[in-house]
Amino acid sequence: MSESPSTLESKLRTLPTQPGVYLMKDAEGTIIYVGKAKSLRARVRSYFQGGAQHGIKTREMVRRVDDVDTFVVRTEAEALILENNLIKENRPRFNINLKDDKTYPYIKVTDEAFPRVFVTRTLRRDGGRYFGPYTDVRRMRQSLELVKKLYTVRSCRYNLPSDVPPRPCLDYHIGRCKAPCVALQTPDDYGSMVDEIVQVLSGHTRLVARRLRAEMQTCALEMNFERAAELRDAIGQLEALERKQQVVDVTGSDRDVVGFARDGSEACGVVLQIREGKLLGREAQFLTNLGDDTDEAALSAFATRLYADRVTRDPESVPGEIIFPMDFDDRGVLEELLREAAGKAVRLKWPQRGEKVQLVALADQNARHLFEERKLMGNAAAERAPDALYELQEVLELPMVPRTVVCFDISHTQGSETVASAVFFENGEPAKGEYRKLKIRGEWGNDDFASMHEAVTRWFRRRVEEGKPLPELAVIDGGKGQLGAARKALEEIDLPQQSIVGLAKKEEELFLPGRSDSIRLPRRSPALRLVQRIRDEAHRFAVTYNRKLRTKRTIRSELSTIPGVGPSRQKQLLERFGSYRGVVAAAEADIAAIPGFGPALARKVVEAVRPTPAAPSPGAA
């Protein structure tokens, strides 16, 4: 049964001040949002105060709230874990949704008295160790083959030691297993072997390679050349596997590096797993239903849920350092949770300079490419957006990646033949079918501000009338004046939300509406180079159209001197012969054949455009 407003209000007044988790419910009792708080009373009541300050998504959620349940816990870390579990269990409508990258395979080391090692695509909280996910399945197979070659790990499914076979299987007789099932291998010996397997799969191969070399030399001294050869091949395979792991951190550290990319209400979070300085693996999740949530809130949702799952499944897999692209509210709580679960110091950092910033840039690039790959799979006609567009989104603080961009430029000849161009780019490439040229109708000469106002008004108004999608960014060739004129035009046609930027030629500065200072990007910035390329194309298109009009005016001024040839007949001549040069070369009969001309007028045209050469003087040689 739905609670009355007074009941909800009284509940809000009596909320506890301890940390905990709150569940927002609608009139039907469905959980529509789950959140955590350091103080439940302060956090929950904040939703129902200052409504104008909340985003659209939050206001809509609050409008639907009919009841609130709370769970009190001892610490914020416990609240984080409970929140994660409740979100996964209930999938509330207004929470950010996370979805795995793909069902990539893992290598699993089971939690048994005599563990097994095998490939799986299913993650379970059963105490087992999971290594991956492996986006390169071939490398995973090579890792598993190396483990089987180096170690006599069992492949049977017996529940040892309670369930034992009567005799060893074939693997024992061919040397692939030491038969712990019938007590021919001790639990301690088998456990030591599994510990080394975990080291190899974790990327810590140096100590293993050192032990194998020592064993190979011992076998050679004992004349056991067959075993020495096997160890030599295994060392070579181990080194080959290590070479294929990209070295991204010369310090040889163990750390996770988190990357993030967003486009509107969707985002992608990536974790690069670096062990001994080598890129061992990558884990990714896609986030949807972001609405007006900030990037920090989205990153917090990604990080807290991913690592909350990891510590409950395999706390030993958490490295001592995790690097993030930005700060977020739950960083301290998450750090405390990871430290307690892993039983070691875990530092969550947000680097501002140095080599770690480069690692974050690499992770961000991976996130962008995965995001684009997902979009490609969802829409075969789409094309991958270049990194420059993501940089542009970040620099201009745009809500969307500017996959579609229109650019305006004005061109005139001393105030005459004033024209505008509007060139259209998709995913960083020209879409020439969307190019438009406009002849400015206003009689204001060389007033570029007025011309820009007219061009932007006409182009956007027609775009709306035709029902075509608006571009994610409009670029204005010019500084504050041109930008202000364009901004005013957009406001007058009820498009104030349109993202717009001005690019001034002199210093290549970017100007944003309402911002007094300019943005100066490095000359080698991919984002700046892309905007310059778009601006230069708009300039080329405008100048070309201006020259065409100027040429037509010149031709018509020359044709207008011919008696009997007015504007309409000038147009007929140009349409028939293409240019003034074509008229000069035309035969008299062809001109006479034009409707309305006739032989007499054709002769006048020929005499005017091809004057008879002057006769030589009598005294000339």
Side-chain angles (χ1 to χ4, degrees):
M1 181 177 176
S2 172
E3 293 196 11
S4 66
S6 60
T7 305
L8 178 59
E9 289 173 6
S10 63
K11 181 176 281 191
L12 292 176
R13 285 195 297 270
T14 59
L15 286 170
T17 57
Q18 293 97 324
V21 173
Y22 54 92
L23 286 70
M24 304 284 199
K25 297 181 179 180
D26 62 13
E28 297 178 358
T30 303
I31 297 173
I32 60 175
Y33 186 78
V34 174
K36 63 183 178 303
K38 185 176 182 180
S39 169
L40 285 169
R41 180 185 298 177
R43 180 63 179 138
V44 175
R45 291 175 66 175
S46 70
Y47 285 100
F48 301 90
Q49 300 168 353
Q53 298 176 1
H54 298 309
I56 297 174
K57 177 181 170 183
T58 302
R59 292 201 300 270
E60 177 62 20
M61 181 195 72
V62 171
R63 188 182 68 81
R64 295 169 182 247
V65 173
D66 190 71
D67 189 15
V68 179
D69 282 347
T70 58
F71 293 89
V72 175
V73 297
R74 292 173 298 179
T75 65
E76 290 183 75
E78 289 181 0
L80 190 149
I81 291 289
L82 180 58
E83 178 199 37
N84 178 57
N85 292 336
L86 289 173
I87 289 174
K88 290 202 300 184
E89 180 181 345
N90 295 283
R91 297 187 177 278
R93 174 173 181 176
F94 288 93
N95 279 98
I96 296 172
N97 298 324
L98 269 70
K99 185 177 180 181
D100 290 339
D101 180 6
K102 291 179 182 176
T103 313
Y104 283 122
Y106 293 77
I107 293 180
K108 179 179 181 180
V109 179
T110 62
D111 182 27
E112 299 175 281
F114 296 92
R116 292 171 293 136
V117 182
F118 56 86
V119 175
T120 182
R121 291 180 183 267
T122 305
L123 295 176
R124 292 190 175 93
R125 296 180 183 178
D126 54 6
R129 295 287 305 272
Y130 292 86
F131 299 91
Y134 287 90
T135 54
D136 185 347
V137 178
R138 182 179 178 185
R139 190 171 76 81
M140 180 206 66
R141 297 290 179 191
Q142 289 172 340
S143 299
L144 196 60
E145 181 184 344
L146 178 62
V147 166
K148 291 180 177 179
K149 190 170 186 176
L150 287 175
Y151 306 102
T152 55
V153 64
R154 71 185 181 100
S155 60
C156 62
R157 294 178 177 269
Y158 290 109
N159 185 22
L160 302 180
S162 58
D163 183 17
V164 297
R167 65 183 67 86
C169 66
L170 179 62
D171 279 358
Y172 170 74
H173 296 289
I174 62 176
R176 289 188 175 178
C177 181
K178 293 182 179 180
C181 55
V182 292
L184 294 180
Q185 185 179 20
T186 66
D188 289 343
D189 184 44
Y190 195 93
S192 297
M193 177 185 70
V194 171
D195 289 342
E196 200 165 286
I197 290 173
V198 168
Q199 290 293 311
V200 171
L201 295 176
S202 299
H204 302 295
T205 58
R206 296 171 186 171
L207 291 176
V208 177
R210 191 180 304 166
R211 185 192 64 77
L212 292 177
R213 287 193 184 92
E215 186 180 346
M216 179 183 67
Q217 291 172 358
T218 301
C219 289
L221 292 173
E222 294 175 352
M223 303 296 183
N224 188 355
F225 297 116
E226 184 176 351
R227 176 58 179 164
E230 290 177 356
L231 291 169
R232 178 202 62 202
D233 295 342
I235 293 169
Q237 202 168 349
L238 191 67
E239 291 174 344
L241 186 66
E242 186 176 3
R243 282 195 300 271
K244 290 180 181 178
Q245 295 168 348
Q246 180 185 1
V247 177
V248 295
D249 185 357
V250 294
T251 64
S253 302
D254 291 355
R255 55 168 59 101
D256 281 356
V257 184
V258 177
F260 182 79
R262 179 174 181 173
D263 187 2
S265 62
E266 297 180 341
C268 176
V270 165
V271 177
L272 300 184
Q273 299 163 354
I274 300 173
R275 303 296 181 266
E276 292 188 351
K278 298 182 292 292
L279 181 57
L280 190 68
R282 183 189 71 196
E283 191 168 359
Q285 300 245 339
F286 293 98
L287 295 78
T288 58
N289 196 33
L290 297 183
D292 46 28
D293 289 310
T294 63
D295 288 353
E296 290 78 8
L299 178 63
S300 179
F302 167 70
T304 54
R305 293 192 215 169
L306 184 139
Y307 282 104
D309 279 345
R310 190 187 287 189
V311 294
T312 54
R313 187 181 74 232
D314 185 9
E316 294 181 26
S317 67
V318 178
E321 184 177 75
I322 305 173
I323 302 174
F324 290 90
M326 66 188 84
D327 200 6
F328 55 95
D329 289 341
D330 293 322
R331 185 163 61 96
V333 180
L334 182 59
E335 186 174 82
E336 178 187 351
L337 171 66
L338 296 179
R339 183 171 59 249
E340 292 178 357
K344 62 182 180 183
V346 179
R347 297 184 302 276
L348 275 57
K349 295 185 176 181
W350 172 35
Q352 301 293 303
R353 62 183 67 84
E355 294 181 359
K356 292 179 182 178
V357 172
Q358 300 303 317
L359 291 176
V360 170
L362 176 64
D364 284 346
Q365 187 177 41
N366 273 265
R368 289 195 294 268
H369 289 179
L370 273 175
F371 199 27
E372 290 301 317
E373 184 178 88
R374 180 180 173 88
K375 284 185 173 291
L376 281 169
M377 292 173 65
N379 181 9
E383 292 186 10
R384 187 181 296 274
D387 290 342
L389 291 180
Y390 281 91
E391 183 189 348
L392 200 58
Q393 179 196 23
E394 180 179 354
V395 169
L396 303 182
E397 299 179 356
L398 302 176
M400 304 280 287
V401 176
R403 299 171 187 276
T404 54
V405 180
V406 65
C407 182
F408 296 91
D409 187 28
I410 304 296
S411 180
H412 58 80
T413 305
Q414 296 181 348
S416 62
E417 281 80 46
T418 304
V419 300
S421 66
V423 299
F424 204 83
F425 275 59
E426 292 180 352
N427 290 312
E429 296 297 329
K432 295 194 175 183
E434 296 286 346
Y435 280 25
R436 296 292 182 270
K437 51 192 178 185
L438 301 90
K439 188 173 181 181
I440 299 301
R441 298 166 181 165
E443 299 291 338
W444 40 66
N446 58 359
D447 187 342
D448 285 356
F449 301 163
S451 298
M452 184 64 73
H453 182 280
E454 179 185 326
V456 170
T457 300
R458 287 169 54 190
W459 190 89
F460 274 96
R461 182 176 287 158
R462 182 170 181 177
R463 194 85 179 173
V464 171
E465 290 172 353
E466 293 177 350
K468 291 184 177 181
L470 299 180
E472 275 125 4
L473 179 64
V475 178
I476 304 301
D477 182 12
K480 291 182 180 180
Q482 287 87 346
L483 180 65
R487 180 81 263 170
K488 183 179 179 182
L490 291 169
E491 290 172 353
E492 289 174 356
I493 56 176
D494 200 25
L495 291 176
Q497 76 283 359
Q498 172 65 48
S499 297
I500 187 170
V501 63
L503 177 61
K505 288 188 181 75
K506 188 175 181 181
E507 299 294 337
E508 301 292 32
E509 297 171 285
L510 295 170
F511 290 94
L512 292 174
R515 179 168 169 173
S516 58
D517 58 325
S518 64
I519 299 173
R520 294 195 180 192
L521 297 179
R523 291 289 179 176
R524 294 186 179 181
S525 163
L528 177 61
R529 289 185 175 184
L530 178 60
V531 177
Q532 288 173 328
R533 179 182 165 217
I534 296 172
R535 186 270 317 276
D536 292 346
E537 176 67 356
H539 181 69
R540 179 199 65 80
F541 197 54
V543 169
T544 300
Y545 185 38
N546 170 261
R547 286 174 179 168
K548 183 177 180 180
L549 293 182
R550 192 168 71 240
T551 300
K552 282 186 176 180
R553 184 190 58 154
T554 303
I555 292 171
R556 284 179 175 169
S557 65
E558 293 178 351
L559 293 176
S560 64
T561 60
I562 305 173
V565 178
S568 60
R569 284 176 174 168
Q570 292 172 28
K571 183 177 180 181
Q572 284 180 289
L573 286 170
L574 293 175
E575 287 178 350
R576 173 65 180 82
F577 301 111
S579 66
Y580 182 76
R581 186 174 296 178
V583 176
V584 173
E588 187 175 320
D590 293 334
I591 298 174
I594 298 174
F597 272 72
L601 185 55
R603 189 173 303 109
K604 288 182 179 180
V605 170
V606 170
E607 291 175 351
V609 299
R610 292 193 303 231
T612 305
S617 59

